[in-house]
Amino acid sequence: MFHLNVRHLLLQQRISSLTDIAFNPEMGWTSCIILFLYVSVCEPWPLPDTEPLMHGVVQSPQYPQPYPPNLQEQWDLSVPEGYQIRLTFTHLDIEASAGCYYDALTVLYDTKILGKFCGHENSADGNHPGNQPILSPGNRLTLMFQSDDNNPERHQNVGFSAQYQAIDMDECSAPEPEDGSGPLCSQICLNTLGSYLCSCHHGYELRPDQRSCVLSCGGGIFDETEGHLFSPGYPNPPHHAVSCQYIISVESGFTVVLNFTDNFHIESMDTEQGPNCLHHWLQVTTSDREPMKLCGGKSPGRIDTNSNTVRLDYHTDDEGLSKGWSLDYSTYRVKCPLPGNVAKGRVTPILTEYFYRDYIYVRCDQGYKLMMDGQEVEGFTTMCQSNGQWHLLLPECHIIDCGEPEPLLNGGLTFLSGFQNQYRSVVQYHCNAPFYSLLGGINVVFTCEADRKWRSNIDIVVSPTCIPVCGQPTKLISVYQRIIGGSDAPDDTIPWQVLLNIDGGRAGGMVIGDSWVMTAAHNVMKGGNQVSKETVRMYMGITDVKTQLVSPVYAASIHIHPEYNNPNNVDYNNDIALIKLQDPITFNSSIMPICLPAEGATYVTGVMGLVSGFGVKETDNRRILTNKMNYVQLPVVEQETCSKSITSLKKTRDNVPSLSNNMFCAGVPEGGQDSCQGDSGGPYALRDDGRFWAAGIVSWGVDCGKQGAYGVYTRVTNYMEWINKTMQEN
Ligand code: ARG
């Protein structure tokens, strides 16, 4: 408040100094627009008659000629309020007389005579004012000049000439008025040009009367982060009732802490209920708490208001005595509750306390993901808000999962550890045994890693593959017999056997892969042309033709060996064909592939092979087309032996085909056991290391089971290159 007063004062002085210009008689009365830094734009104002001048000259009539007789002249001088008039005589020459009885210049302030002058500078009598100026007590001065009619020396007296000027009056040093109204200013008086200002000591403020001072309440709003407040006049009790309000208001997000000094004294009344702040009190009010009235002789010390706005109302009445109080306040950032922990995650930074504008971050442990409201989030931060609450609730860390592992065709997987595809779960792939086995044969284990991908224990494994198990039927034929001279094959013993129905005609084939059937070329040729694939029906997994009720498998494409050329049925060289199936087969105990020959596989003379088919069978010396799958075991015949047999047959018969190195023979010299019509394309299987492999394809023969003749089979080992190529390219 003191500062404010000073500022006010300065402004007053500026205005006062401008009044000099305002009252300049040469410029006349002016109105000025005051700009900053004393720059002023002044415009002449019409000069009112009554406006007082700042200075002037008063002279006797006809001065410097002698003044005429019988004069009675009066001048009423005035200067602006707040000024005195200083009158200085430049010359005075008036007829001298005792008491200036005849001619005189009388100077009056209202009715009070300040001087009565006559004579001249060197005259012995009269009353000459000399060089001493006359000062009026106020802003007025009256001059009265009189002369009589009788003066012998009149021609010698020229009268007077005087100058007057306005002099600033120091109101402050003026004695206290006698009317008992007290001093001009109760505390500090500051003289100004033409006026004065009152001001107050620290802790006081000027009353509306602009004279007296009262204890300051401080008042106003304290918005600094810290400050000092005290009761009016502290530590002295105020002389009268006070009712002061102080408001501390800082940015939201901060709380105000009051720290009362030890010297605390507010009158408290002893009532039946104990001490009570009945007449004097300091009330502390915050937005969300009950107001608190303080009084007594003990300092409340530190009060944490938990609010950013605090109102203090100090009230006393005219009675009683309170010395008052003093406090320092400071502000603290609002505190948020400890955020707590996140299971399987980390909250950072870890602090003992968290305040407004503090951030925390949550990260999940490896293998866990951040979840908020059931949604996964990339990252998480939350801030301590100005209301002391975190702006977001803590997230949760949920274990990640890798999703369903790639399914394995003809296989499956088992969890070695973990479940629900969760992080660190370990799954092992397996193929559906005994029909499939893992490519490479190694146990492939996949682990759900932190990047949510299933990763294998073996770097090179991209994805496991199940390959069919070949040549290993779930049941083995215990007694080998024959087709011509054979027996019915029990179920599941020759699961690669295919019954071919081509345009109504019966033939055989063998499953060599989940999409491939191998047969004889002559089965799928008619009149020098390949049969249309639509006419080919394949039945698998049966041992009885009647169970043809099972739906047939259809061909997607037929691939006859390019060098098969047998227009007259006398050249069965290259009698081999492959049929691609429309849909791959899933293997089971009744349908399984036969192995293709291994590299370097040989046909050892005398080694027994297994021939099978639904072809012609001999019963009671009659040949009938069997409805049951038959099989017979026949040995590999020496090529030389076979060749001789065919050469001799050619002598007695026409149109006997020739034997080539792409063929081999199987059978017994005495006959009685053989494949026959309808078996063509079927398998001749040799067994090595417990696996049956496709050594031959039933191709041709001279009659069936004839003595001295053998069945002729396509030598499959000669076609591996073509078979592999065809299967790869289609
Ligand atoms: N070419 C006959 C057929 O189409 C197969 C003859 C087999 N003959 C033999 N004696 N092994 O069914």
Side-chain angles (χ1 to χ4, degrees):
M1 287 316 284
F2 184 69
H3 285 291
L4 211 85
N5 275 343
V6 169
R7 213 175 290 151
H8 177 64
L9 182 76
L10 282 173
L11 194 69
Q12 284 287 317
Q13 279 178 346
R14 280 182 214 171
I15 294 165
S16 302
S17 60
L18 278 164
T19 53
D20 288 341
I21 303 164
F23 295 124
N24 186 324
E26 259 118 78
M27 284 183 71
W29 189 230
T30 56
S31 96
C32 301
I33 299 158
I34 300 157
L35 301 176
F36 286 111
L37 301 169
Y38 299 95
V39 174
S40 62
V41 180
C42 299
E43 297 245 318
W45 195 256
L47 191 67
D49 306 335
T50 52
E51 275 313 321
L53 301 174
M54 289 301 281
H55 56 85
V57 176
V58 186
Q59 291 175 334
S60 54
Q62 295 171 21
Y63 184 85
Q65 301 301 315
Y67 55 81
N70 293 319
L71 280 174
Q72 189 69 42
E73 198 97 10
Q74 180 172 332
W75 294 266
D76 290 313
L77 308 180
S78 69
V79 292
E81 195 101 24
Y83 290 82
Q84 292 174 285
I85 296 175
R86 184 164 69 187
L87 188 71
T88 312
F89 289 98
T90 50
H91 188 65
L92 188 129
D93 175 14
I94 295 170
E95 181 193 356
S97 58
C100 300
Y101 182 76
Y102 300 114
D103 292 359
L105 177 69
T106 311
V107 181
L108 298 112
Y109 178 68
D110 295 337
T111 53
K112 188 183 173 196
I113 295 170
L114 302 179
K116 192 172 182 182
F117 305 110
C118 61
H120 54 88
E121 227 168 307
N122 302 315
S123 64
D125 45 5
N127 180 27
H128 192 273
N131 291 328
Q132 216 39 9
I134 296 162
L135 205 60
S136 78
N139 66 330
R140 303 173 302 279
L141 203 63
T142 304
L143 269 63
M144 284 171 64
F145 185 49
Q146 65 177 71
S147 64
D148 63 3
D149 57 352
N150 179 24
N151 189 351
E153 296 167 43
R154 178 149 307 137
H155 60 277
Q156 289 171 7
N157 299 116
V158 295
F160 71 94
S161 174
Q163 287 190 330
Y164 71 90
Q165 64 190 116
I167 300 284
D168 178 45
M169 202 190 291
D170 184 3
E171 293 87 352
C172 295
S173 56
E176 225 175 273
E178 275 149 23
D179 58 5
S181 60
L184 225 44
C185 297
S186 69
Q187 286 189 358
I188 299 167
C189 182
L190 297 159
N191 182 40
T192 65
L193 272 180
S195 186
Y196 67 96
L197 280 174
C198 295
S199 177
C200 302
H201 294 300
H202 180 58
Y204 290 81
E205 57 191 42
L206 202 60
R207 277 189 160 161
D209 67 4
Q210 300 297 318
R211 292 181 52 196
S212 49
C213 296
V214 285
L215 279 168
S216 168
C217 275
I221 294 178
F222 294 77
D223 57 3
E224 302 288 313
T225 53
E226 48 190 35
H228 180 70
L229 277 73
F230 53 91
S231 59
Y234 179 83
N236 302 311
H239 298 298
H240 45 76
V242 294
S243 199
C244 298
Q245 189 178 79
Y246 310 79
I247 291 169
I248 303 170
S249 182
V250 296
E251 200 188 329
S252 70
F254 291 81
T255 57
V256 174
V257 172
L258 307 176
N259 218 331
F260 284 89
T261 55
D262 288 342
N263 205 351
F264 181 92
H265 180 255
I266 297 173
E267 181 198 83
S268 79
M269 298 299 282
D270 285 323
T271 66
E272 278 174 17
Q273 287 81 39
N276 194 308
C277 308
L278 203 57
H279 303 299
H280 293 198
W281 65 77
L282 175 64
Q283 181 169 273
V284 180
T285 312
T286 58
S287 53
D288 50 0
R289 258 205 233 165
E290 278 291 294
M292 176 167 50
K293 272 187 179 174
L294 305 174
C295 61
K298 193 173 169 290
S299 169
R302 183 186 152 108
I303 296 177
D304 205 334
T305 66
N306 279 321
S307 169
N308 69 319
T309 302
V310 182
R311 206 180 78 199
L312 298 167
D313 291 288
Y314 184 46
H315 176 89
T316 69
D317 58 13
D318 281 321
E319 290 161 53
L321 190 87
S322 292
K323 290 174 186 161
W325 49 270
S326 155
L327 66 84
D328 291 300
Y329 79 86
S330 44
T331 44
Y332 294 89
R333 281 190 294 160
V334 163
K335 204 194 283 186
C336 276
L338 289 176
N341 295 318
V342 174
K344 299 294 182 188
R346 270 211 298 154
V347 179
T348 52
I350 300 166
L351 303 174
T352 49
E353 287 176 313
Y354 295 84
F355 298 100
Y356 173 49
R357 286 185 181 147
D358 279 346
Y359 279 87
I360 52 169
Y361 306 84
V362 177
R363 268 197 301 165
C364 291
D365 296 347
Q366 172 151 306
Y368 290 81
K369 58 186 175 182
L370 278 168
M371 296 291 288
M372 277 178 71
D373 305 324
Q375 296 272 310
E376 189 184 346
V377 289
E378 272 282 306
F380 178 87
T381 60
T382 183
M383 195 193 78
C384 176
Q385 301 178 118
S386 61
N387 64 0
Q389 299 294 320
W390 294 101
H391 92 280
L392 290 173
L393 290 177
L394 280 190
E396 290 173 17
C397 286
H398 289 185
I399 193 160
I400 59 154
D401 71 76
C402 289
E404 288 296 324
E406 280 289 306
L408 177 60
L409 185 64
N410 299 311
L413 52 88
T414 46
F415 278 86
L416 295 186
S417 66
F419 53 90
Q420 289 175 346
N421 307 320
Q422 284 177 351
Y423 175 61
R424 290 248 177 262
S425 291
V426 180
V427 294
Q428 184 174 38
Y429 279 101
H430 60 82
C431 292
N432 295 338
F435 313 108
Y436 294 90
S437 64
L438 268 172
L439 180 65
I442 321 151
N443 276 340
V444 191
V445 164
F446 281 76
T447 307
C448 177
E449 301 286 5
D451 62 359
R452 306 187 198 190
K453 294 211 168 77
W454 290 100
R455 297 217 179 270
S456 104
N457 54 336
I458 307 150
D459 292 345
I460 43 158
V461 173
V462 177
S463 59
T465 312
C466 288
I467 51 163
V469 170
C470 65
Q472 287 181 296
T474 51
K475 265 193 232 155
L476 286 175
I477 296 164
S478 47
V479 186
Y480 288 97
Q481 292 184 31
R482 50 197 78 177
I483 308 183
I484 292 294
S487 327
D488 292 353
D491 286 347
D492 303 342
T493 52
I494 310 170
W496 47 84
Q497 178 70 51
V498 176
L499 170 62
L500 275 178
N501 186 320
I502 298 165
D503 224 359
R506 188 179 294 188
M510 69 200 89
V511 176
I512 57 166
D514 61 3
S515 289
W516 291 94
V517 162
M518 186 159 70
T519 187
H522 76 262
N523 286 338
V524 285
M525 287 295 282
K526 221 169 209 152
N529 293 315
Q530 182 181 309
V531 300
S532 81
K533 61 183 182 188
E534 287 77 24
T535 62
V536 179
R537 291 169 186 211
M538 291 164 276
Y539 297 90
M540 300 166 195
I542 53 167
T543 53
D544 192 328
V545 176
K546 285 174 186 161
T547 55
Q548 270 185 30
L549 294 174
V550 297
S551 44
V553 176
Y554 288 94
S557 55
I558 298 167
H559 307 267
I560 298 168
H561 194 274
E563 283 156 58
Y564 174 74
N565 183 21
N566 186 15
N568 306 313
N569 293 328
V570 287
D571 183 3
Y572 283 88
N573 199 18
N574 308 310
D575 191 12
I576 182 167
L578 293 173
I579 301 170
K580 172 130 199 225
L581 309 182
Q582 276 185 355
D583 300 300
I585 322 156
T586 301
F587 298 124
N588 53 47
S589 56
S590 59
I591 309 173
M592 285 180 82
I594 187 168
C595 302
L596 285 168
E599 213 169 302
T602 52
Y603 301 76
V604 179
T605 303
V607 169
M608 300 299 259
L610 178 65
V611 191
S612 52
F614 292 86
V616 167
K617 162 184 176 170
E618 206 174 51
T619 317
D620 306 329
N621 291 324
R622 282 167 48 230
R623 288 190 179 169
I624 56 152
L625 196 58
T626 177
N627 278 334
K628 297 277 185 196
M629 194 210 291
N630 270 240
Y631 70 89
V632 68
Q633 198 211 24
L634 296 170
V636 173
V637 173
E638 171 81 69
Q639 195 76 354
E640 180 76 29
T641 311
C642 186
S643 182
K644 279 179 183 162
S645 126
I646 288 166
T647 306
S648 66
L649 283 167
K650 280 190 175 190
K651 287 173 185 159
T652 54
R653 287 180 176 235
D654 291 333
N655 297 330
V656 173
S658 301
L659 185 73
S660 79
N661 281 334
N662 291 321
M663 306 165 191
F664 70 93
C665 299
V668 285
E670 66 274 21
Q673 295 178 346
D674 198 2
S675 52
C676 201
Q677 264 61 48
D679 290 326
S680 262
Y684 175 89
L686 286 173
R687 196 171 182 226
D688 276 321
D689 301 329
R691 289 169 188 255
F692 290 93
W693 59 278
I697 304 167
V698 178
S699 182
W700 59 279
V702 177
D703 216 336
C704 299
K706 193 177 149 70
Q707 190 186 356
Y710 302 96
V712 185
Y713 299 82
T714 306
R715 191 184 283 267
V716 179
T717 51
N718 285 8
Y719 295 98
M720 283 317 297
E721 209 175 300
W722 176 77
I723 293 168
N724 287 328
K725 185 168 171 275
T726 304
M727 291 202 297
Q728 266 165 32
E729 289 175 0
N730 295 280

